[in-house]
Amino acid sequence: QVQLVESGGGLAQAGGSLRLSCVASGSIFSINDMGWYRQAPGKQRELVATISSGGYTNYPGSVRGRFTISRDNAKNTVCLQMNSLKLEDTAVYSCAARVNGASVWGQGTQVTVSS
């Protein structure tokens, strides 16, 4: 079993920054890829960033150049640095991990960007 706990969400102004963290516990040796996803009200969940166990990263065009995902395997932590925030970045952000072919999700943290 793997458990994920996110922190760092909150309120930021457009153009500002926030940093999200996700700490994994449990059977952490079985974790492969990790990532962040978000879901805004009335919209489907979408990918924000992923990072492999070897550090390979992937971003959709909507956040590329503004968001940076990082991973510290020694601390079992994955972080998401969000810069140049836009109003449309407002959503619940969830950490996810791929474990033995299945996805494990955190509880989510709210990010709200105001003008």
Side-chain angles (χ1 to χ4, degrees):
Q1 291 279 358
V2 172
Q3 296 80 40
L4 304 174
V5 178
E6 302 102 332
S7 61
L11 179 65
Q13 287 193 324
S17 300
L18 281 174
R19 184 176 178 86
L20 305 182
S21 296
C22 173
V23 179
S25 61
S27 302
I28 56 177
F29 58 89
S30 59
I31 296 176
N32 297 312
D33 294 352
M34 298 189 75
W36 289 92
Y37 292 75
R38 67 186 181 188
Q39 187 167 20
K43 295 187 176 181
Q44 289 188 331
R45 183 166 59 197
E46 63 175 354
L47 169 71
V48 176
T50 61
I51 186 166
S52 71
S53 56
Y56 178 79
T57 59
N58 181 51
Y59 306 91
S62 58
V63 306
R64 191 176 296 121
R66 300 189 297 122
F67 291 9
T68 302
I69 189 170
S70 61
R71 182 171 179 171
D72 187 333
N73 291 326
K75 296 182 178 179
N76 309 318
T77 300
V78 61
C79 295
L80 183 70
Q81 178 67 43
M82 303 185 293
N83 298 328
S84 302
L85 285 164
K86 302 178 180 180
L87 297 179
E88 53 264 40
D89 294 322
T90 294
V92 175
Y93 285 69
S94 298
C95 177
R98 197 71 177 165
V99 182
N100 296 327
S103 294
V104 177
W105 296 89
Q107 81 284 358
T109 185
Q110 177 70 45
V111 170
T112 302
V113 183
S114 64
S115 59

